Amino acid sequence: MMGLLMTSCQSKTERTYAGDYSYNTSGVLNIYAQKDTIHVTHTERGSMRVVPLADEKNKVMIIRTSLEGKVTRLYGTFSGDELVIKPYEYQVNYAEYEGVVGNLISTKTETVRVDCEGEVYHSGNDVTIVLTENYTGEHIHASKVMTVAEKY
């Protein structure tokens, strides 16, 4: 008896992680403005797509689109259940106020460098990606900003 084995061109990693996710990001940003340090809670929600890169084993492009319409593109490599993300730039919007409960002085946007690492968790057919991000900018610093993305 003769058997036939068919395989896909995609690796197991690409088939497992590729697809659409919803995500939530949360963390505390430290904003160094004038003489004060201001601690601001940063939250963001949206959708995320993991796209395998052709001809590059286990490498992916990740496109995050926030509910506000901000699009961020990341590149990473899966190694087992770990995800290594290349450092990328991200724009953070914040407001400066006069005093503790004062008048709005201005709104600002700062581009920060983001260093990121991730882990992947499986439960049956469910896939969850957890990213831990560190922001470094001229006035903004944050460590352990957490993004949790669940595949749908």
Side-chain angles (χ1 to χ4, degrees):
M1 180 180 248
M2 194 172 190
L4 178 64
L5 177 64
M6 295 181 69
T7 60
S8 169
C9 292
Q10 288 184 314
S11 72
K12 181 180 177 186
T13 300
E14 291 170 344
R15 287 193 311 267
T16 303
Y17 306 137
D20 296 316
Y21 295 74
S22 60
Y23 77 88
N24 290 299
T25 299
S26 181
V28 175
L29 304 181
N30 299 308
I31 301 174
Y32 301 97
Q34 298 167 1
K35 298 177 185 177
D36 299 320
T37 300
I38 303 164
H39 306 285
V40 178
T41 301
H42 170 66
T43 59
E44 185 176 279
R45 296 177 53 196
S47 63
M48 183 171 96
R49 174 168 284 200
V50 176
V51 180
L53 296 176
D55 301 327
E56 298 203 37
K57 186 176 181 183
N58 298 330
K59 294 191 179 196
V60 293
M61 176 176 58
I62 299 172
I63 302 168
R64 293 195 311 198
T65 305
S66 72
L67 292 177
E68 294 80 26
K70 185 188 304 185
V71 177
T72 307
R73 182 174 53 191
L74 300 75
Y75 292 93
T77 303
F78 283 102
S79 177
D81 286 337
E82 292 184 9
L83 175 60
V84 177
I85 302 286
K86 287 176 54 175
Y88 64 96
E89 291 186 344
Y90 179 76
Q91 288 191 334
V92 177
N93 301 319
Y94 64 97
E96 274 192 325
Y97 293 91
E98 185 176 43
V100 176
V101 191
N103 298 323
L104 175 66
I105 297 173
S106 66
T107 56
K108 296 189 175 192
T109 299
E110 183 170 328
T111 300
V112 296
R113 174 192 161 109
V114 180
D115 293 298
C116 179
E117 59 186 33
E119 296 177 291
V120 182
Y121 299 91
H122 303 270
S123 176
N125 291 329
D126 296 333
V127 178
T128 301
I129 297 175
V130 178
L131 302 176
T132 304
E133 301 167 310
N134 297 311
Y135 296 4
T136 306
E138 184 178 349
H139 299 100
I140 298 174
H141 297 277
S143 60
K144 297 185 181 175
V145 175
M146 185 81 56
T147 295
V148 177
E150 296 178 333
K151 192 172 185 180
Y152 56 87

